[in-house]
Amino acid sequence: MKTITIRQLLATILLALTCTTTLAASLKIGLNYPQTGRYSDQGLQQRLGAFLAVDEINKAGGVMGQPLELVIRNTAGEPERGARDTAELIDRERVNMVFGGVSSAVAIASGKAARERDRLYFGTLTYSNATTGEEGHSHMFREPYNAWMTAKVLSQYLKTHHGDDEYFYITSDYTWGWSVEESVRRFTNTDDKTTHGGVTTPFPRALITDFREALEQAEASGAKVLMMVLFGDDMVRAINVAYEMGLTRKMQIVVPNLTLGMARQVGPTIMEGVIGGSPWVWNLPYEFNYPRGQAFVEAFSSRYEMRPSTAAASAYSIVYQYKEAVERAGTTNTRAVARALENHRYSLLKDEQVWRAFDQQNVQTVYVVKVRPRSDVVADEYSSNFFEIIDAMPGDEAAQTDAEWKLRREQAGKPLAL
């Protein structure tokens, strides 16, 4: 019988402890979202969706045997703070990727900070064309649709039902607002600003008086369609003023990027009849029979006693997509994971989506929704049956082509490849 020395025994124990520590080490990912500020409701939805995905993945064995750990930071809706948070998540917390954002300006700034540190950044709620357009780069992936796709699907509906009407635009004065207004004007043939007027409101610190003055101009214009290119609390405040002024009964209100959280904050009485665009709503999986999407809605609703918004669905999807990309790549190496994502097709909460390689934009079916009457809204267990799906467009038809994308990059003086 071979004799084991004390030194050999200690070495064996040390090796075992080292292996155990390696296996138990968590794989960190960072969520950088607005816990405070005007987009805090959308930020909270991201957090809830992300934690649900992390818990599900860990119960199923983690990622290649490692448990996921979600590390969070508060951007407060400020681009500079978002960039600082991203740097801290990577430099101090050693996260393997970062996701989040509500404001496109925050997402763009955060994505640049991630690129400087060779980490992927996933935009969770960022609709400006610039995010994966002029400001796009090798480390930025965007899960939701963009302003171009929003405008394409909305124009399909609006040209049929409001093709001869005059429009008036109230636009949040930053990159997302400019991007949405430009795209909607283009595809609804309302480029002529002498006929289809508009005004901008300050961002991020607009006052009620700013919205009231803008709405007074909208009323004076005589337009039939009021395009409110506002988001989060800005949209909530503005539409409440519009209701007080009687404009919701005089004009067709369109909110290009409409979310469940915004509708809930305003309430069904004021929101009834408002039209908007969305990449996903919670009733979609039931209406089109997407079982995995239904399972997500049930799990989210049961856990949090509310319905998930598109922000929650986006964050949830990103966590799963990162997990699966790491497993396909067999590593957390940034470049390898990016290659595993590019041109990857999948179905999770809806029909097929694809991470397009040339701009790393997620291409997917997009929808036009209309807010239902109050009686329909409150009939839901969680009083959240807000949205009737009234139109849709396949992702390949809605998204920019490679040639259109390259033209925008060329005009911005940016490389024609990421």
Side-chain angles (χ1 to χ4, degrees):
M1 181 176 179
K2 183 177 179 180
T3 302
I4 299 177
T5 67
I6 294 296
R7 180 175 292 178
Q8 289 172 322
L9 180 60
L10 289 173
T12 301
I13 294 171
L14 181 60
L15 178 62
L17 287 173
T18 302
C19 292
T20 301
T21 302
T22 300
L23 290 174
S26 61
L27 192 163
K28 290 185 177 183
I29 56 176
L31 174 60
N32 199 19
Y33 73 101
Q35 297 176 32
T36 55
R38 297 195 172 184
Y39 294 166
S40 58
D41 180 85
Q42 291 73 31
L44 174 62
Q45 284 281 318
Q46 290 183 45
R47 174 176 175 153
L48 298 181
F51 270 109
L52 177 59
V54 168
D55 287 351
E56 288 178 354
I57 289 167
N58 286 341
K59 286 177 183 176
V63 181
M64 298 194 301
Q66 288 183 277
L68 271 181
E69 180 182 347
L70 185 64
V71 185
I72 62 174
R73 289 292 185 275
N74 176 20
T75 69
E78 300 287 346
E80 297 81 7
R81 184 164 171 176
R84 288 198 305 271
D85 286 350
T86 299
E88 181 179 295
L89 283 165
I90 297 168
D91 296 340
R92 185 182 302 175
E93 299 291 347
R94 303 296 179 188
V95 301
N96 290 275
M97 72 88 161
V98 183
F99 64 118
V102 174
S103 157
S104 291
V106 171
I108 289 168
S110 301
K112 289 177 179 177
R115 179 186 59 188
E116 290 167 2
R117 291 159 176 82
D118 194 30
R119 293 290 189 276
L120 295 184
Y121 184 90
F122 289 82
T124 311
L125 203 67
T126 165
Y127 297 143
S128 170
N129 290 328
T131 306
T132 49
E134 302 95 296
E135 300 294 342
H137 52 79
S138 58
H139 290 61
M140 171 68 80
F141 285 79
R142 178 185 6 214
E143 195 281 333
Y145 66 177
N146 60 16
W148 183 283
M149 297 166 76
T150 306
K152 287 289 283 289
V153 69
L154 278 173
S155 68
Q156 177 176 270
Y157 176 85
L158 291 171
K159 283 193 291 187
T160 300
H161 297 275
H162 297 279
D164 297 325
D165 291 341
E166 291 185 13
Y167 289 44
F168 191 90
Y169 290 77
I170 299 178
T171 300
S172 190
D173 195 11
Y174 79 107
T175 182
W176 165 75
W178 310 328
S179 191
V180 172
E181 179 177 342
E182 177 196 22
S183 297
V184 173
R185 281 186 180 276
R186 173 175 181 165
F187 294 118
T188 56
N189 300 321
T190 57
D191 285 302
D192 182 357
K193 294 185 180 181
T194 59
T195 302
H196 307 283
V199 64
T200 58
T201 56
F203 182 84
R205 296 178 178 85
L207 304 174
I208 290 291
T209 53
D210 295 313
F211 298 127
R212 187 173 297 279
E213 289 171 5
L215 288 163
E216 288 171 351
Q217 292 184 53
E219 183 176 29
S221 75
K224 297 297 183 183
V225 176
L226 176 55
M227 193 68 62
M228 295 180 66
V229 190
L230 304 169
F231 198 72
D233 287 355
D234 284 349
M235 192 288 292
V236 171
R237 295 174 187 186
I239 204 165
N240 274 292
V241 175
Y243 180 78
E244 292 171 8
M245 294 172 62
L247 297 187
T248 56
R249 295 183 295 277
K250 296 178 183 177
M251 309 173 79
Q252 174 59 65
I253 308 293
V254 182
V255 178
N257 297 125
L258 186 55
T259 72
L260 178 60
M262 288 152 59
R264 279 192 298 228
Q265 284 179 273
V266 176
T269 300
I270 296 175
M271 287 297 295
E272 182 177 348
V274 172
I275 290 170
S278 182
W280 188 89
V281 289
W282 74 262
N283 48 301
L284 172 71
Y286 298 94
E287 295 187 25
F288 293 90
N289 193 29
Y290 302 130
R292 185 63 182 80
Q294 293 175 21
F296 162 67
V297 174
E298 296 299 327
F300 188 100
S301 302
S302 174
R303 177 167 175 163
Y304 301 120
E305 297 187 339
M306 68 173 76
R307 296 300 190 190
S309 75
T310 183
S314 181
Y316 181 90
S317 298
I318 286 167
V319 175
Y320 268 99
Q321 282 299 289
Y322 180 72
K323 166 195 179 291
E324 293 172 9
V326 168
E327 291 174 340
R328 288 195 302 276
T331 177
T332 58
N333 173 269
T334 295
R335 187 60 247 163
V337 174
R339 285 196 299 268
L341 284 163
E342 290 170 354
N343 289 324
H344 175 65
R345 294 182 177 273
Y346 67 98
S347 297
L348 186 62
L349 305 184
K350 54 190 283 190
D351 55 344
E352 187 178 74
Q353 300 174 234
V354 58
W355 295 100
R356 192 164 61 178
F358 71 79
D359 59 353
Q360 297 176 170
Q361 168 65 49
N362 193 295
V363 176
Q364 56 184 288
T365 303
V366 293
Y367 306 92
V368 179
V369 296
K370 185 174 185 178
V371 177
R372 301 176 190 270
R374 184 180 186 281
S375 58
D376 291 346
V377 174
V378 300
D380 172 57
E381 180 181 0
Y382 300 99
S383 297
S384 293
N385 187 28
F386 276 92
F387 299 130
E388 175 188 3
I389 299 168
I390 58 175
D391 208 346
M393 181 178 286
D396 288 341
E397 185 178 339
Q400 283 180 309
T401 65
D402 180 61
E404 288 167 334
W405 180 81
K406 285 178 177 174
L407 178 61
R408 295 297 289 263
R409 297 277 292 188
E410 184 178 25
Q411 290 171 340
K414 298 297 178 72
L416 302 186
L418 297 181

